[in-house]
Amino acid sequence: LGVGAVGVSARLLESNTPVPPFKLDGERFDSSSFFGRYAKMISNGDPLTLFKTSDDIRRAESLLKGFEASQKMGTKMDENISTAELWEAKKLKDSAIHPDTGEIIPKPFRMAGYAAFNGPICVAMMASASTPALLFWNWVNQSQNALVNYSNRNASSPTTNEVLLKSYSAAVMSALTVAFGLSQFIKKRYTP
């Protein structure tokens, strides 16, 4: 339900706001206003981009490279390509391709996939009736979060595997400690 709401909201925002002239390094929405920042976040988190294939993503990237080349040479783009199509290509590229590595980010670890893939994990965490289930789902949640963060990291500043492992271990241990500690406290304090 929430995933569909974000997708519909993104489409409504995009279809009901004026399309500005396309700039490769520009923003589709005006970031100087609250509404523009809100629209940008909803658009960036649009889960409908998850339905695009790797070929679709690479075509969008190619379209933008063609636009950039035409700008550098002072020529016009194909007149059959609209400004809205260029913005859509930029949205898809920005949501699916890592800016530093140029690799396609796996769907579960894109920001647009966060609600779709992490939502069920959160529901399972909250519905856990036993301690092992609670700990398991908290571990899955922290692993998902770590992979989202890793997949969207600043790859221009390299990090060693040792630092990554220490960070992951600390996040998992703290989450499991809090989850177990709170569940035990609640069971003791508020017995039925």
Side-chain angles (χ1 to χ4, degrees):
L1 182 62
V3 174
V6 173
V8 169
S9 296
R11 296 298 171 197
L12 285 172
L13 284 168
E14 291 165 359
S15 64
N16 290 307
T17 55
V19 179
F22 183 76
K23 292 182 183 176
L24 196 57
D25 59 351
E27 297 289 338
R28 164 76 168 80
F29 300 101
D30 178 14
S31 292
S32 68
S33 70
F34 172 79
F35 178 78
R37 291 187 300 275
Y38 171 76
K40 178 184 176 182
M41 292 307 298
I42 293 294
S43 181
N44 287 349
D46 182 0
L48 298 177
T49 61
L50 298 174
F51 293 106
K52 301 293 185 177
T53 65
S54 294
D55 289 341
D56 294 332
I57 295 165
R58 292 299 179 195
R59 267 194 297 280
E61 182 181 40
S62 178
L63 177 63
L64 295 173
K65 285 180 180 176
F67 176 83
E68 182 178 28
S70 71
Q71 292 291 298
K72 286 180 180 175
M73 294 189 312
T75 60
K76 285 193 171 194
M77 280 286 292
D78 180 351
E79 293 190 14
N80 294 325
I81 299 170
S82 70
T83 303
E85 288 174 286
L86 289 168
W87 282 118
E88 187 65 27
K90 184 174 183 340
K91 170 184 166 178
L92 182 57
K93 178 189 171 282
D94 289 351
S95 74
I97 296 178
H98 193 284
D100 296 330
T101 66
E103 297 173 0
I104 294 177
I105 300 169
K107 290 178 183 185
F109 311 130
R110 296 179 196 164
M111 295 315 292
Y114 192 73
F117 291 96
N118 197 259
I121 294 170
C122 291
V123 169
M125 262 190 334
M126 298 306 291
S128 296
S130 68
T131 299
L134 177 72
L135 295 176
F136 171 76
W137 286 110
N138 270 275
W139 168 74
V140 171
N141 181 52
Q142 286 303 312
S143 298
Q144 166 74 8
N145 291 338
L147 288 166
V148 167
N149 289 332
Y150 177 78
S151 296
N152 293 282
R153 73 198 181 284
N154 178 356
S156 64
S157 299
T159 304
T160 65
N161 288 338
E162 181 182 2
V163 170
L164 290 172
L165 183 60
K166 284 180 182 178
S167 300
Y168 171 73
S169 299
V172 168
M173 290 309 298
S174 61
L176 296 181
T177 301
V178 169
F180 180 73
L182 280 176
S183 71
Q184 293 304 308
F185 172 77
I186 290 170
K187 282 181 188 176
K188 289 178 183 174
R189 177 91 166 124
Y190 302 102
T191 55

